[in-house]
Amino acid sequence: MASLIEPRTLKGFRDYPPDLQLPREEILDKARRVYRSYGYLPMDTPALEYAEILLGKGGEETDKQLYRFRDHGGRDVALRFDLTVPFARFAAEHIHRFGTPFKRYHIGPVWRGENPQRGRYREFVQCDFDTIGTTSNAADIEVVFVIYDLLRALGLERFHIHVNHRLVLNGLLEELGLADRAVSVLRALDKYGKVGRQGVEQELRTHVGLEATQAQRILDLAEIRGTPAEILERVQLTLGNNAKAAQGLACLRQLYDVTRAAGLPDGVVQFDLAIARGLDYYTGTVYETFLTDLPGIGSVCSGGRYDNLASLYTKQVLPGVGASLGVDRLLAAMQELNLVPASYATAPVLIVFFVPDKLAVYMELATRLRRAGMGAEVYPEAKKLRDQLSYANKRGHRVAIIGGEEELAQGVWQVKDLRGQIQQTVADAEISDAVRRILLG
RNA sequence: GUGAGAGUAGCUCAACCGGCUAGAGCACCAGACUGUGGAUCUGGGGGUUGGGGGUUCGAGUCCCCUCUCUCACCCCA
């Protein structure tokens, strides 16, 4: 006999057994529902693209992380590392068919060849939503509402949406004469939450080569804390004279005013001048969402505004704004917070297979329940009652229906509520109602 | 990709300084119980100690390589 092949998965790639895939699919379902409720339309693109489409779009780091190879036809191809770049290509090709503004959501796996950590994988699902073709701040503001609805729909209550505006940061850099070093300065600044003031200062001084006073002014701004109104006021005092910063502040002010007036609870939105986002293509509002109880896992929903999504592929100017929900990271977080249920029956009703030659009767009952909108499964073997109930209990079924010789002869069923100890005899004609009462109760 | 730590049954862990046939709890399967789940009792299957090589009379234990996980760098969902 040939030796067995060791069953295993690649580093950073994972299986999703039912207890993981079930909550995962639920996250996706809920996300879809929220996106659609805002009018976003679904779309998808291929996993594989010509390498030239993807190269150089997310900075040199993403190039290194690209899964890239030659296909059987000798084409230079690569797996997408995010959904934004393929969307840019898509928009350049198809936007004329939809017109602007165009709102879409896009759910699919992406691949990055980086070292995995908790909540970081080489294959993971992103869940993007974007509005392109408008520069209106209304679209930026809507993003906040979407993120809020999204996390609430997923059962999360303790989170904060950190918002900043690149123009405010650019204004500061302009004032300091550092506009040409924006990328490296912002990249250093973005680490504030992780390495603190000293860490950022160190990097600004040694790596970027800033003067002590320059680094200090940047950090002083980043460290402004308080309510959104307080932050706006303080930044206004220090940077209000700069045209760019003033424009960014105006956007943030409107975002704050509108979200409040439209009913978003106080405290959800926090202005955080240290949020810069590493990706080079952001130009306006930027967002990151942190779970209060699990800040270490990183942002679970991030995004921002970009001036010109598709400039590399078309001359048409396509500004856009959107964000991406990190489904697998969020799932890891929810697992850690014990927000994923342990039992996982997809159909709440188990019909016991009792009398071997009455399979048709059980199947017919199952069909009837399903048509009445209740998931039902028939146990596949006429095993001991004890075993079948034990199965139902383990899987988390809500109701077991038992029909032995006696019940079948009388045209009744035993309906067992598995959460309690209650069992009742129900006439065949009333079975749907009886089961529904338990499921709703 | 670089650096650090870890890996023993499906899971959580034990095994003295390198020394007998690598153990326990939970989980799983079967039975006690041929019409009633979660409990209890009894029994059972499971391991090349992640994989490979080396040192040694002898390796789960020491050394090297490799794989995977965790953490940090980097970057990010």
Side-chain angles (χ1 to χ4, degrees), chain A residues 72-86:
Chain A
H72 294 332
R75 282 171 284 256
D76 184 10
V77 299
L79 286 165
R80 64 186 179 201
F81 62 89
D82 75 359
L83 299 177
T84 306
V85 173

Side-chain angles (χ1 to χ4, degrees), chain A residues 21 182 241 250 284-285 297-298 320 374 384 421 423 430 437 440:
Chain A
Q21 183 65 359
N241 292 328
T285 322
I297 206 159
M374 295 169 281
K384 277 188 300 197
Q421 303 276 7
Q423 180 169 319
E430 279 138 41
R437 262 197 302 280
L440 293 177

Side-chain angles (χ1 to χ4, degrees), chain A residues 15-65:
Chain A
D15 287 324
Y16 299 93
D19 56 342
L20 222 52
Q21 183 65 359
L22 212 57
R24 196 165 176 248
E25 287 187 5
E26 246 159 65
I27 290 174
L28 295 178
D29 281 348
K30 286 170 181 162
R32 262 187 281 265
R33 225 168 292 150
V34 170
Y35 293 155
R36 290 182 182 202
S37 76
Y38 281 81
Y40 293 87
L41 298 167
M43 59 162 281
D44 201 1
T45 63
L48 213 54
E49 297 267 4
Y50 282 103
E52 62 176 23
I53 297 284
L54 304 179
L55 282 167
K57 305 309 187 298
E60 49 188 282
E61 199 57 39
T62 51
D63 284 1
K64 277 192 270 172
Q65 296 177 355

